[in-house]
Amino acid sequence: MGKRIVIALGGNALGNNLPEQMIAVKQTSKAIVDLIEEGHEVVISHGNGPQVGMIQKAMASLNAVDPKQYPIPLSVCGAMSQGYIGYDLQNALREELLDRGIHKPVSTLITQVVVDPEDPAFKKPTKPIGSFMTEEAAKKLAAEKGYTVMEDAGRGWRRVVASPRPQHIVEIETIRTLVDAGQVVVAAGGGGIPVMETEGNHLKGVPAVIDKDFCSARLAESVDADCLIILTAVEKVAINFGKPNQEWLDELTPERARQLISEGHFAPGSMLPKVQAALQFAESKPERYALITLLEKAKDGIAGKTGTIIR
Ligand code: ADP
Ligand code: MG
């Protein structure tokens, strides 16, 4: 029986630079089309760390050489990254589908995601973005532009932005319509472009970064998916990760997942948001489940042969 699956692609599905991405999307498309070939409906979301970093640096350099150019906000950089990554994925997916004799339209949707102005994340920005700076340059920028800056793990100073929770996907009806019509959609790239509801009908871009795993869980709930697959750089979730007593997990109940989260088994910023997102989706309806596994194991994972299932 075909399932409706939201596939959240991690950094290794796209690589760290332009040539890496061109190669990576081919492998990624094979893994995705394997699922389509088995009769599943897929909606694809993805991270954008290296890509939005590149775009942001390019835009900052533009300002440095031509001060007359208007500074490009982070939300616009996010939109550009959705376009660029979507283009590469669309192109590679189309080719892989046609190579297997499957005629299915593929498109990317520039996706805005509403965040709550009262989200506590805005009081405590945690997500480093952009180039490393000296302490002096960072403090100057903070004074001039009202940015929050922070020392990042001994490597230098960086701008930090908030990582609020996704509330609502603005383009959700379009995404649903396309999936219902049997089409492949790439949506909510990079966690979506964060926007805030303001007076009237205007949605205002917010300088923030929504976690792509949380946004993928929200997307999966909103398209009424059966399954959320988080594809990343490990085949399974582990307890005591990286320690001699490390243990790979095949299955997690929400209760056990919560317990392991509270015991600190999952690294914040990498595995923790995945387990939290998986848990949130699995709990949203009784028959829903989430799977965390390696990109190249997606097919085996959905067949129940590997990965960590949260249900
Ligand atoms: P992605 O780009 O897919 O979001 P991340 O690097 O953010 O990937 O997160 C995946 C990484 O989390 C794994 O490659 C692994 O190094 C790390 N990790 C941290 N804690 C755990 C754990 N408990 N079990 C498995 N992997 C973990
Ligand atoms: Mg990550």
Side-chain angles (χ1 to χ4, degrees):
M1 251 293 275
K3 293 188 176 76
R4 180 169 288 192
I5 303 170
V6 168
I7 303 173
L9 301 172
N12 67 331
L14 297 170
N16 288 306
N17 52 46
L18 191 141
E20 278 183 23
Q21 182 167 312
M22 282 182 81
I23 296 165
V25 288
K26 291 194 205 297
Q27 281 318 111
T28 301
S29 297
K30 287 195 169 69
I32 295 170
V33 175
D34 279 349
L35 302 184
I36 297 172
E37 206 168 34
E38 291 188 332
H40 302 300
E41 292 174 338
V42 302
V43 180
I44 300 149
S45 65
H46 58 82
N48 72 344
Q51 297 81 1
V52 77
M54 171 188 81
I55 292 165
Q56 226 243 335
K57 271 189 196 164
M59 293 302 134
S61 318
L62 174 68
N63 272 120
V65 295
D66 182 359
K68 284 199 297 292
Q69 296 281 344
Y70 193 82
I72 305 297
L74 189 59
S75 52
V76 175
C77 294
M80 288 176 175
S81 78
Q82 288 186 349
Y84 160 46
I85 296 167
Y87 158 52
D88 266 5
L89 281 172
Q90 265 174 226
N91 185 286
L93 281 165
R94 174 187 170 274
E95 184 175 338
E96 186 64 29
L97 285 163
L98 287 173
D99 284 352
R100 299 198 206 184
I102 304 170
H103 291 265
K104 221 178 231 304
V106 187
S107 63
T108 300
L109 206 74
I110 299 299
T111 314
Q112 308 175 82
V113 176
V114 175
V115 297
D116 180 358
E118 302 299 321
D119 194 304
F122 287 109
K123 296 212 173 64
K124 204 174 165 286
T126 52
K127 187 94 188 157
I129 58 149
S131 309
F132 289 96
M133 296 170 279
T134 61
E135 181 173 353
E136 196 191 355
K139 291 193 166 153
K140 187 163 167 267
L141 196 68
E144 274 172 19
K145 301 205 169 163
Y147 291 171
T148 308
V149 293
M150 224 181 254
E151 213 279 321
D152 187 5
R155 295 174 294 178
W157 284 68
R158 285 174 98 184
R159 180 181 174 195
V160 285
V161 296
S163 188
R165 294 298 176 115
Q167 301 294 323
H168 171 69
I169 296 167
V170 179
E171 290 78 15
I172 193 63
E173 285 175 79
T174 314
I175 299 170
R176 262 194 230 118
T177 303
L178 290 169
V179 194
D180 288 348
Q183 303 196 17
V184 179
V185 199
V186 179
I193 304 160
V195 294
M196 256 177 208
E197 284 162 349
T198 57
E199 269 165 51
N201 290 313
H202 182 63
L203 294 174
K204 189 183 184 326
V206 180
V209 173
I210 301 171
D211 182 275
K212 76 109 179 20
D213 296 310
F214 288 134
C215 193
S216 302
R218 172 64 76 233
L219 175 64
E221 284 173 46
S222 308
V223 296
D224 197 20
D226 305 297
C227 177
L228 167 66
I229 310 187
I230 300 178
L231 296 178
T232 185
V234 283
E235 186 161 344
K236 292 180 188 187
V237 177
I239 50 173
N240 304 309
F241 181 68
K243 295 182 189 151
N245 58 343
Q246 166 178 295
E247 208 179 298
W248 299 109
L249 305 170
D250 293 322
E251 188 153 354
L252 274 176
T253 60
E255 294 70 35
R256 178 103 169 107
R258 251 191 289 277
Q259 185 200 341
L260 295 176
I261 287 170
S262 71
E263 290 170 13
H265 285 281
F266 313 123
S270 62
M271 191 46 75
L272 179 61
K274 295 185 203 312
V275 175
Q276 287 174 323
L279 169 68
Q280 177 193 318
F281 178 70
E283 280 194 312
S284 60
K285 254 190 196 174
E287 59 278 13
R288 288 177 179 168
Y289 70 97
L291 173 70
I292 300 174
T293 194
L294 265 181
L295 174 68
E296 46 272 42
K297 297 283 178 180
K299 190 175 169 178
D300 287 347
I302 202 79
K305 293 182 195 157
T306 190
T308 304
I309 284 192
I310 297 94
R311 75 170 147 215

